[in-house]
Structure formats: C-alpha cells, structure tokens
Amino acid sequence: MRALLRAMRGQSGPCVRRTLKDAAILAHAAASSGSLGMHDAAAKHREELEDKLEAVDASDPLSELKLVWDTILLHRDSPQEEGLDVEEVEELVLAHLVAFPDFLADDLVMNLFRQVQLGQGFLHAEKQHINVATLLEQMKPRLDRHKVTALNIARECCTHLQTHSETLASKLLLRMDLDGDGYIGEDDFLKCLVHALAVEVENLAISAGVQQLLKEEGFADEFHQAVWDLLVAGDHLQA
C-alpha cells in the first residue's frame, strides 16, 4: 500500500494524484450541498466529480496495484476463485489508513488551499475576493512550523477512521463491485481501486483533517491573518 501511495505521489503519477484530490474535494462538496438541501449545487458537484473520475488513468501505478492484489491473494488461508469479499476489503481499508497519514500530512495544508480555490470558483467573478495563489505565497514561509501539527492531525484522523473500517469496506465494495455479485474481481480492482479509495476513504480523512487544522489555534491565527491581509490589500487596490 505504501508503494502504491508513493507511486501515486511520485513522478509516475502526478496526474492521477491531482485528479484524485479534486475528486475528493468535489465529493465532499456534493455531500455537503445535498445535506443542506442545495440540490442544484449538489448535482453540479456530482457532474464535475464524474468528469474527474472518468479522467483518472490508473495505468501509471498499475504495477503497484497488481502487487497489492497479489499480496491479498497470497495471504488467503485457502485458495478460492471468487474475488475479494467484504472482510478482505476491510483489511485493505485498514492497510490504507495505516499507510496514509504520512502522505496526508504532506498534503493537508495544500488541500485546504484547494478547497478555498474550489469555493472561489463557484462564486460570481465580482464576489471572488481571495487570490489563492497569493494567499499560498504569503503562507509558505510559515508552513514548516506546522508540519508536526499536520502529521499529528493526519494520524488522529486515520486512527479514528479505522474504528469505522467495516462501514468503509461495505461502501468500497459497493462502489467497486461493478457486476453486483458481492465480490471484487481483479479487473474491477485494477480499474476502480484508486478513485474508490479517494472518494470513500481519503475524502473523509481530508475533510476531517482540514477542519481539525483550522481548529488549531496557531495555524488558524496565521491563516486567518493572511486572508485578512489579502482582503485589506484588495480593498486598497479598489480604492
């Protein structure tokens, strides 16, 4: 699993990585809009999510995907022809959550900025007051001091999600079981695992991690100050 995550975040998988981050954010936005009764917005998010997932090409980390599949089969107590069942999928979810914190911590702050950028994109041009690129440049010199905080938050989020591994496994199985036979075959596994994990598992960790990061007093103070400075500077330019 660590090899797969490294491949997705290394030179061989930058396109996959960017697409999955956008997909995870859009999935969260669709769910949030739907829960608030904003059905038109939710539908728009879902359409964009589908476009993102169609663009995912898992061929870059294919060898690592195959290695994960073979490892699961080798650890079976007895040979069987069926694909992965829900218990094996749960083991996969747990393995992912054990490996994911180090990777999540590196991207946690960037995911916050991507969410801000996505939110700005849904506003009319005259209401887009935050230049995310400028905001990131202002925050960059301060980010190193928050690395330990981000790692602790990532670990806490993934540890908490491990307590819901059975539910996550059921959702993952439903998303990946394209023929509806209750199992995940090899073809479906290689085709669906990357974006299924992003939507059903990583999205939850990202959403929870970003919210927790904003509750950390030290980071929140610096982030909100940077936003305020940017808004003030924009007001001066308009004046």
Side-chain angles (χ1 to χ4, degrees):
M1 185 58 70
R2 290 185 185 277
L4 174 59
L5 287 168
R6 282 195 296 268
M8 289 168 54
R9 286 158 174 76
Q11 293 182 352
S12 62
C15 181
V16 175
R17 182 175 69 254
R18 288 193 300 269
T19 302
L20 293 182
K21 286 181 180 177
D22 290 342
I25 293 171
L26 285 168
H28 174 67
S32 299
S33 299
S35 66
L36 295 173
M38 303 166 59
H39 302 300
D40 290 341
K44 181 178 180 181
H45 292 315
R46 283 194 295 270
E47 289 177 2
E48 294 190 15
L49 173 60
E50 290 175 0
D51 291 341
K52 287 290 183 184
L53 294 182
E54 288 178 0
V56 173
D57 180 4
S59 60
D60 283 332
L62 185 58
S63 60
E64 286 76 15
L65 278 169
K66 188 66 167 61
L67 179 59
V68 173
W69 171 266
D70 291 341
T71 301
I72 295 173
L73 296 188
L74 286 171
H75 280 78
R76 283 180 164 175
D77 293 332
S78 58
Q80 60 189 66
E81 295 182 1
E82 295 88 348
L84 307 186
D85 58 23
V86 68
E87 291 184 0
E88 289 173 317
V89 175
E90 184 176 2
E91 290 297 322
L92 180 64
V93 168
L94 289 170
H96 182 270
L97 290 172
V98 168
F100 192 47
D102 291 340
F103 300 94
L104 174 61
D106 290 340
D107 294 334
L108 198 54
V109 175
M110 291 306 300
N111 275 299
L112 169 61
F113 288 105
R114 293 174 74 85
Q115 288 192 19
V116 174
Q117 185 174 29
L118 181 67
Q120 289 288 296
F122 290 124
L123 298 175
H124 292 295
E126 64 272 13
K127 295 184 178 181
Q128 296 179 13
H129 301 305
I130 301 176
N131 185 314
V132 177
T134 302
L135 178 61
L136 178 58
E137 284 300 316
Q138 291 186 4
M139 285 290 295
K140 271 185 177 179
R142 318 172 194 177
L143 295 182
D144 280 348
R145 72 186 73 170
H146 301 292
K147 284 186 175 181
V148 173
T149 297
L151 179 57
N152 289 335
I153 289 173
R155 287 172 175 168
E156 289 174 5
C157 290
C158 290
T159 298
H160 175 71
L161 286 178
Q162 288 179 44
T163 65
H164 299 278
S165 60
E166 185 175 349
T167 300
L168 295 174
S170 297
K171 291 182 177 180
L172 202 64
L173 180 63
L174 286 174
R175 181 171 291 276
M176 297 177 64
D177 179 18
L178 301 183
D179 59 8
D181 66 352
Y183 298 92
I184 301 173
E186 183 175 3
D187 289 343
D188 292 344
F189 181 90
L190 298 178
K191 179 180 180 181
C192 301
L193 180 66
V194 173
H195 71 255
L197 282 174
V199 173
E200 299 295 352
V201 181
E202 294 183 8
N203 176 49
L204 296 178
I206 290 170
S207 299
V210 168
Q211 293 303 314
Q212 190 61 39
L213 186 63
L214 285 173
K215 293 179 181 178
E216 291 292 329
E217 185 175 353
F219 178 85
D221 287 347
E222 293 194 3
F223 177 76
H224 291 134
Q225 184 63 53
V227 172
W228 174 254
D229 292 343
L230 195 60
L231 293 175
V232 171
D235 289 340
H236 281 308
L237 288 176
Q238 291 180 2

